[in-house]
Amino acid sequence: MKSLALKGLTALAIVGAAGLYITRPQTVDTDTFAALTPDPAHGAQVFTASGCASCHMAEGSKTPLILSGGQRLASPFGTFVVPNISSDPEAGIGGWTLDQFASAVTKGTSPEGQHYFPAFPYAAYQKMTDQDVVDLWAYMQTLPADQTPSQPHEVGFPFNIRTALGGWKLLFTPKDWVMPADTPQLERGRYLVEAQAHCGECHTPRNTLGGLQHDAWLSGAPDPSGRGKVPDITPATLGWSMGDIAYYLESGFTPDYDSAGGHMAHVVENMAQLSASDREAIAAYLLALPN
Amino acid sequence: MKQIAATAAAFGLVAALATPVLAQDMSANIKARQGQFRILALNLGVLGGMAKGELTYDAAGAQAAADSIVGVSMVHQPTLFVEGTDDMSVEGTRALPVIWENTDDFAAKWAALGEAAKGMQAAAGTSAEAIGAAMGPLGGACKSCHETYRTP
């Protein structure tokens, strides 16, 4: 009897350890990144397309390049307070290495080896090319330092246990593309939508555990604020032409000249800074979505 | 005891009288403000169509559209955005309660729309390209208010 219990416990411990092993925080391969030459000018484009400032600048800030953090993101699991990622070595991430930065953005792993919460959209950024990540880091080091300390999240038990996020990541952050793309334009659109601008984080519904429902990709979701709805942008519902979508992303105007609001206002400000061909590529991607 | 009952009854009466009247008044204000935004959008449709070359440029038509936008921008907003007409208090509106917490900022955003509208008024009669250039600031004025004060 005693030995049976012991066996059971040992088995449990092994399963548990294996579980923790496969769900342990992942980091990037140092050599791959060290071999790349950074291009900070291109990094600025990556930064804009990825909307880093939309979350990391102070609430309502007029200086979006000061990444002092402090915005509060409401979710069903609690409120996340976005951290300072300015170049300040103490309050921000100025003292980090390239590897630490790349592991944070593409693996959701902190320099201390902990999992980040998926409110930081690394589920999208993990699809970025290594070169883009290297360029992004080079650019971000040129941005101003700010000494505002990061604030703790207001997330209660059990969602505040970062170890548990390993399993979550394994289940809900597949690295595969959601959509096929068989032309260079669709590939570019897919890269912008799925790897950088993280359109799916807002426009795709989530399951009860907060994982994106990839089979209902971009088909609309309740607004995380609890009021209103992030619209369905699949082609049959949206009913817009390629020109309509590209113009909206540039100007914020819908085909009937209403103007974008809510969180989409920031997205439009970012998309307006991309090239016209990039906005068309995003439009082409949306028009190719299944209904 | 009797007095309390009487007071309660009086309050009840006031509430009964007040509610329907207020509700009626407020629905008119909500309709009016939503209508004014539609007037903005319809006139922007004319200007945007000309800027994009979907409509043939016509100086008089463009000027009339721009003048209409300036006209709407002169409407005094507090009359339309009366307290108690936010989306938490009543149905049928997308106006967020923060409008009444930041009345100065809301007024500033409306004033910014007025400025951008004047830019369009000066440009509209000259050329389709000039309209195109004035669309940016005007759209920016709409967007920056919708970002904070309108629910999706």
Side-chain angles (χ1 to χ4, degrees), chain A residues 68-244:
Chain A
S68 54
Q71 280 188 51
R72 301 167 61 81
L73 309 178
S75 86
F77 310 103
T79 300
F80 297 97
V81 187
V82 184
N84 181 332
I85 56 161
S86 76
S87 59
D88 189 274
E90 300 297 325
I93 60 169
W96 288 21
T97 64
L98 168 60
D99 292 353
Q100 289 175 330
F101 176 76
S103 296
V105 175
T106 66
K107 306 279 181 195
T109 300
S110 73
E112 295 78 36
Q114 284 201 308
H115 293 296
Y116 283 122
F117 291 107
F120 171 16
Y122 53 78
Y125 302 148
Q126 67 171 336
K127 298 179 185 177
M128 267 205 256
T129 63
D130 296 346
Q131 184 67 56
D132 275 2
V133 175
V134 169
D135 295 350
L136 175 63
W137 175 236
Y139 170 70
M140 287 183 62
Q141 285 172 298
T142 69
L143 296 178
D146 181 281
Q147 293 184 342
T148 314
S150 297
Q151 300 298 321
H153 302 308
E154 292 155 23
V155 177
F157 183 82
F159 304 113
N160 57 354
I161 307 175
R162 289 184 185 264
T163 332
L165 287 166
W168 192 95
K169 280 175 165 177
L170 204 64
L171 285 172
F172 300 126
T173 58
K175 211 183 159 179
D176 316 323
W177 298 111
V178 181
M179 289 289 298
D182 51 16
T183 67
Q185 187 185 46
L186 282 175
E187 266 177 35
R188 178 67 187 152
R190 178 173 72 179
Y191 186 73
L192 287 162
V193 169
E194 294 190 21
Q196 295 191 325
H198 59 277
C199 316
E201 295 283 326
C202 297
H203 284 277
T204 301
R206 292 173 186 275
N207 60 29
T208 46
L209 291 174
L212 290 178
Q213 291 175 258
H214 290 99
D215 55 354
W217 190 239
L218 300 177
S219 67
D223 195 81
S225 67
R227 303 229 287 287
K229 197 173 180 300
V230 183
D232 180 342
I233 53 171
T234 57
T237 316
L238 191 60
W240 297 2
S241 72
M242 175 124 149
D244 290 339

Side-chain angles (χ1 to χ4, degrees), chain A residues 2 10 15 25 41-42 62 69 94 111 125 165 182 197 206 221 241 254 258:
Chain A
K2 197 176 163 193
T10 319
V15 171
H42 181 253
K62 302 269 181 297
Y125 302 148
L165 287 166
D182 51 16
R206 292 173 186 275
S241 72
T254 67
D258 189 352

Side-chain angles (χ1 to χ4, degrees), chain A residues 9-94:
Chain A
L9 270 179
T10 319
L12 214 70
I14 292 172
V15 171
L20 281 178
Y21 181 75
I22 50 170
T23 65
R24 76 196 185 286
Q26 309 284 317
T27 50
V28 299
D29 175 42
T30 308
D31 295 341
T32 326
F33 281 84
L36 298 167
T37 314
D39 174 357
H42 181 253
Q45 190 274 340
V46 174
F47 180 81
T48 305
S50 306
C52 310
S54 306
C55 285
H56 284 278
M57 67 182 185
E59 184 74 63
S61 167
K62 302 269 181 297
T63 48
L65 295 182
I66 300 179
L67 305 173
S68 54
Q71 280 188 51
R72 301 167 61 81
L73 309 178
S75 86
F77 310 103
T79 300
F80 297 97
V81 187
V82 184
N84 181 332
I85 56 161
S86 76
S87 59
D88 189 274
E90 300 297 325
I93 60 169

Side-chain angles (χ1 to χ4, degrees), chain B residues 11-70:
Chain B
F11 268 120
L13 194 67
V14 171
L17 280 176
T19 323
V21 174
L22 265 181
Q24 206 175 21
D25 280 352
M26 299 202 290
S27 85
N29 303 34
I30 294 171
K31 256 192 251 167
R33 73 191 183 210
Q34 291 175 344
Q36 84 176 347
F37 290 122
R38 286 288 158 198
I39 301 175
L40 290 177
L42 288 170
N43 285 288
L44 271 167
V46 173
L47 295 163
M50 289 184 191
K52 286 197 269 180
E54 291 163 356
L55 298 174
T56 357
Y57 175 68
D58 136 42
Q63 195 63 59
D67 292 349
S68 303
I69 292 173
V70 172

